[in-house]
Amino acid sequence: MALEEKNVLQAIDAAIRRHETTVIEAALSTASDKDKDFLRAMAEDDGPVTAGDIGKRLDAKSNVVANYRARLIAAGLSEAPAYGKGDFTIPGLREHLHKINPRERN
C-alpha cells in the first residue's frame, strides 16, 4: 500500500492533537494564570527570549520576572539556554499558545 500525501498529513495532524492534549495541556493544567501570561509573553518570539523583553511585555520588574522564570523552569515548562534567556522545553508549546490565545507578535 502506497502512502498518499493526504493520509500522511492527516496522521501528522492527529499526532499533533494527541500531543497537545496528552502532553501540553497536561503540563499547563498546573500552571497559574500568571504563569500562562509569562509563557504567552515568551511565545511572542520565535526562539529564546530575554528576561528583559518578557519584563517589558508584562510591565513587570526584574525580580518578578526572575521568580516566574524560576517557577517555570522548576515546573519543566521552560529552560535557560543561555544567561538571561528563556525558551520552551516542550516541543509545540509555543505553537499551541499561539493557537489558543493569538496575540500580536513582534
Side-chain angles (χ1 to χ4, degrees):
M1 174 182 222
L3 290 176
E4 293 184 29
E5 183 178 0
K6 70 176 186 168
N7 298 115
V8 172
L9 294 174
Q10 286 174 337
I12 291 170
D13 287 343
I16 290 170
R17 283 192 309 274
R18 182 164 175 82
H19 174 69
E20 287 176 340
T21 58
T22 60
V23 176
I24 294 174
E25 289 178 10
L28 290 176
S29 69
T30 59
S32 71
D33 288 341
K34 293 286 187 182
D35 292 337
K36 291 175 187 172
D37 288 343
F38 191 96
L39 291 169
R40 283 189 288 272
M42 285 179 59
E44 290 186 30
D45 287 6
D46 289 329
V49 59
T50 66
D53 285 344
I54 294 170
K56 288 176 190 171
R57 291 172 189 162
L58 297 175
D59 193 28
K61 295 181 180 180
S62 60
N63 64 325
V64 172
V65 171
N67 287 339
Y68 279 99
R69 183 173 179 259
R71 285 171 46 110
L72 294 169
I73 290 171
L77 293 168
S78 70
E79 63 183 355
Y83 181 78
K85 294 206 172 215
D87 205 356
F88 295 102
T89 55
I90 300 172
L93 180 53
R94 175 180 284 110
E95 295 78 9
H96 180 74
L97 291 167
H98 289 172
K99 282 197 305 193
I100 64 170
N101 188 27
R103 290 176 54 153
E104 285 291 319
R105 296 183 64 202
N106 293 339

